[in-house]
Amino acid sequence: MTSRSLPQIDFRSDTVTRPDDVMRQAMAKAEVGDNVLDGDPTVGALEQRAAKLLGMPAALWTPTGTMANLIALSSHLQRGDRFLAPRGAHVITDELGSAAWLAGGMPEPLEHDAGPGRPTPETLSAAIGVPRGPYYAMRTPLLCLENTHNTAGGAVTPPDEHAQLVAVAKEAGLTVHLDGARIWHASVALGIPPAALTVGVDTVSACFSKGLGAPVGSVVAGSTEFVEKARRMRQMLGGGIRQGGVLAAACMVALDRIGDLAETHENATRLATGLAEHGWEVNTPETNIVQVTAPDLEGRLAWLAGLGIRTLPSSGRIRFVAHRDLSAADIEETLQRVKTGG
């Protein structure tokens, strides 16, 4: 069998999953309504369920995680403000500058001196500085955290470190937003409820299409007052999906499958272990993302593509993302192709 005819094994992202028959049936049978005019019952049920899981009073469904984050940042920032986030955070590197362009805030990255994806409280405190300087200085009203941290290899922030960072921010009068696109992964990895990872934050976003199998959908959650304001911002951004229950039904099925992420994490660990056995420089994955350091990044990516192994570059490394559409057998096949060159 030539490399061109090899079945493709897609590690590019955990967003490449496709709805299975169970999810498609739920979508087909979903009870719907006009979610802009008087509400969609399935969207409403999803929002209530997600809010409870995330430990928040209310939640709002959005088509994408980028929109969810933008809604939160637009609520928390004014033009001329500065916000703090760990270096490489999705809101800084992967949302086309919308935090500055649309929400009006200038990002300042925090170094990962407490571990992958995590600044120390001391670094955060130093970055905050004097919250209220002279009138011509930028205000710093917001800290944006990310759990898990995507470009740091799906790194998890444990509850104690999260609490310390939130405490420093609150002491200085900052609002805290948590980008929890993969908070379900962090929850499973730590064996704790998702709400244990949102303690003290003002708002949180979470995604249903990253590893849980839904084709689309996120939520942004916070106080009832925040969600009322967020609903208006969602409409402004074009997110007023009418019969959204068709999509929300898939998200409901996705939430039933949070526990399945444990198997995905095991597959990522097996992949990392196998690649290391072949002499590759690999991170120790905390969740479902494996990062490989290669001296010839483009050459290694092309070589993998020739083996039918689809990956992407991330932060100067090769990123493999395990997900529910890849089985343990796919992991073994990947390692076999790497070992034999196809």
Side-chain angles (χ1 to χ4, degrees):
M1 184 179 291
T2 66
S3 59
R4 287 188 176 183
S5 62
L6 286 169
Q8 298 292 298
I9 306 176
D10 198 344
F11 289 99
R12 290 174 299 163
S13 177
D14 46 12
T15 60
V16 302
T17 57
R18 298 181 180 183
D20 60 13
D21 289 341
V22 172
M23 187 173 283
R24 290 172 185 267
Q25 290 172 16
M27 296 170 72
K29 296 177 181 179
E31 183 183 358
V32 299
D34 190 320
N35 200 43
V36 174
L37 295 181
D38 49 17
D40 180 294
T42 307
V43 171
L46 172 66
E47 290 170 342
Q48 291 180 16
R49 184 178 177 187
K52 184 176 181 180
L53 281 171
L54 295 168
M56 292 290 168
L60 181 75
W61 183 88
T62 63
T64 71
T66 295
M67 182 184 287
N69 284 335
L70 178 58
I71 287 171
L73 268 61
S74 296
S75 175
H76 302 320
L77 295 168
Q78 297 181 28
R79 294 191 181 278
D81 284 348
R82 177 183 71 145
F83 72 93
L84 306 174
R87 183 171 295 281
H90 199 275
V91 293
I92 297 178
T93 62
D94 294 285
E95 299 185 5
L96 295 176
S98 59
W101 183 38
L102 298 175
M106 178 71 72
E108 180 161 330
L110 302 170
E111 297 303 330
H112 302 177
D113 53 347
R118 311 193 306 275
T120 61
E122 293 75 19
T123 290
L124 172 59
S125 181
I128 294 172
V130 179
R132 295 285 180 178
Y135 78 91
Y136 50 80
M138 286 194 296
R139 296 168 58 251
T140 306
L142 176 66
L143 169 65
C144 186
L145 300 173
E146 184 175 335
N147 199 8
T148 69
H149 194 294
N150 176 14
T151 62
V156 174
T157 300
D160 57 334
E161 293 189 35
H162 168 89
Q164 293 172 22
L165 294 171
V166 170
V168 170
K170 293 295 184 178
E171 178 67 23
L174 274 65
T175 297
V176 180
H177 172 65
L178 173 61
D179 179 357
R182 291 182 173 87
I183 193 170
W184 322 117
H185 286 276
S187 168
V188 169
L190 294 170
I192 58 177
L197 298 171
T198 68
V199 176
V201 307
D202 297 277
T203 55
V204 56
S205 64
C207 188
F208 305 111
S209 66
K210 292 182 172 65
L212 297 180
V216 62
S218 290
V219 287
V220 61
S223 68
T224 301
E225 294 75 18
F226 164 78
V227 168
E228 289 177 356
K229 182 178 179 181
R231 193 177 304 277
R232 290 175 57 83
M233 176 60 69
R234 184 185 67 181
Q235 189 72 12
M236 186 184 299
L237 296 173
I241 306 301
R242 297 290 181 173
Q243 286 72 35
V246 174
L247 299 172
C251 299
M252 292 286 269
V253 175
L255 288 179
D256 294 336
R257 297 172 170 177
I258 291 175
D260 294 351
L261 295 175
E263 182 177 352
T264 301
H265 296 174
E266 292 171 4
N267 284 339
T269 297
R270 173 63 189 120
L271 176 64
T273 301
L275 293 175
E277 290 172 353
H278 292 310
W280 291 29
E281 185 179 343
V282 186
N283 73 317
T284 300
E286 297 180 32
T287 52
N288 68 317
I289 298 177
V290 177
Q291 292 181 323
V292 173
T293 301
D296 179 10
L297 181 64
E298 292 301 322
R300 185 69 64 85
L301 285 165
W303 182 76
L304 287 167
L307 297 177
I309 301 170
R310 307 185 73 182
T311 60
L312 286 175
S314 175
S315 302
R317 289 170 285 187
I318 300 171
R319 187 182 78 162
F320 294 76
V321 185
H323 51 78
R324 66 178 295 110
D325 283 5
L326 293 178
S327 65
D330 292 318
I331 301 301
E332 296 306 318
E333 173 65 17
T334 299
L335 294 173
Q336 182 63 21
R337 293 185 193 181
V338 168
K339 179 180 179 179
T340 64

